[in-house]
Amino acid sequence: MTKRIIVGVTGASGSIYALTLIKVLALMEWQVELVMTSTGEKVLTFETGADRQSFPDNVHIHENTNLFSSLASGSFRTHGMVVIPCSMNTLGLMATGTGDHLLARAAQVTLKERRPLVVVPREMPYNIIHLENMLRLARAGATIMPASPGFYHHPQEIQDLVNHVVGRVLDQFGVDHTLFERWSGV
C-alpha cells in the first residue's frame, strides 16, 4: 500500500503543528491527503504565511465541501488520519458522527474502517461538553493527543516544542523520525 495519510486542519490556533507535520511527511515521501476547513485554511495562512501553493507535489488538497472525494469512502486506503489542530467545533462533529463536510466524513470513515484517528485539540480550557466529546471519540477508537509538548529534551526554541508534539503524533502511526531526543532515563 502507498504510504498515505489524511491530515485535517481546522480553525483552532496552532497551524504550525499541521504545517510541520505536513512538511515532515512530505519529506519522508508520504502521500499527504490534506483537507482543511475554510477557517482552518485562513488560520494556517494568518499564523504561518503558508497557502495552497506552499505545499509540495505529494500533498493532495481535497475541498472540504466535496463529499465525492476519495476520502469519503472506506475503499480508499490510508494509514489513518490526524486532525491537527482540532477545534472544539470539529471535535463535536466527529464525536457525534454528524456534519456535511469532508473532514468530519473522513474521520467517520477512518473510525469505521478501524484505522488510526489521532485528534490534536489545541483549544483550552475544556468544558464538560469538550471532555465528553473527547471521551466519545476515544471510546470509538480515536487517540486524543492535546498539543502538550514535553520539556525533558530541553527545548531551546518554539520549533523544538512543535517538533515534540509532531513527533509524538508520528509515533502513533509507527513513523520513525528524529524530531526530538527520546527520554532515556537519568
Side-chain angles (χ1 to χ4, degrees):
M1 176 169 57
T2 302
K3 295 189 317 185
R4 181 181 293 130
I5 193 164
I6 303 168
V7 176
V9 178
T10 74
S13 182
S15 296
I16 191 170
Y17 294 113
L19 187 60
T20 300
L21 177 66
I22 292 164
K23 285 180 177 181
V24 167
L25 287 167
L27 283 172
M28 294 177 160
E29 298 182 1
W30 280 73
Q31 175 64 43
V32 176
E33 306 294 339
L34 176 61
V35 58
M36 300 179 281
T37 65
S38 59
T39 306
E41 187 169 357
K42 289 175 187 170
V43 172
L44 178 77
T45 301
F46 178 77
E47 290 184 348
T48 70
D51 60 17
R52 289 172 174 250
Q53 288 70 44
S54 302
F55 300 112
D57 290 340
N58 55 336
V59 177
H60 180 222
I61 300 174
H62 298 258
E63 295 302 325
N64 197 34
T65 55
N66 182 9
L67 291 176
F68 281 93
S69 165
S70 55
L71 305 185
S73 173
S75 67
F76 184 72
R77 296 182 66 194
T78 70
H79 284 82
M81 179 176 183
V82 58
V83 183
I84 183 171
C86 185
S87 68
M88 292 302 116
N89 179 62
T90 301
L91 189 133
L93 292 174
M94 293 185 303
T96 58
T98 58
D100 59 356
H101 58 75
L102 183 59
L103 197 152
R105 173 65 186 155
Q108 294 165 26
V109 167
T110 300
L111 288 173
K112 84 176 181 66
E113 296 295 328
R114 305 278 195 264
R115 296 175 185 141
L117 173 63
V118 175
V119 179
V120 184
R122 217 293 310 145
E123 297 179 38
M124 67 158 186
Y126 303 135
N127 66 37
I128 193 71
I129 296 168
H130 301 150
L131 293 169
E132 287 175 348
N133 284 336
M134 286 183 222
L135 180 59
R136 177 177 269 168
L137 276 174
R139 285 183 173 147
T143 299
I144 309 300
M145 296 185 69
S148 302
F151 291 85
Y152 56 82
H153 61 289
H154 301 116
Q156 300 299 305
E157 53 189 52
I158 290 173
Q159 192 62 50
D160 295 335
L161 298 170
V162 171
N163 287 350
H164 189 265
V165 170
V166 170
R168 297 292 288 140
V169 168
L170 291 171
D171 287 348
Q172 294 299 304
F173 294 94
V175 176
D176 290 329
H177 62 85
T178 57
L179 290 174
F180 62 87
E181 186 175 333
R182 296 188 181 278
W183 178 252
S184 60
V186 289

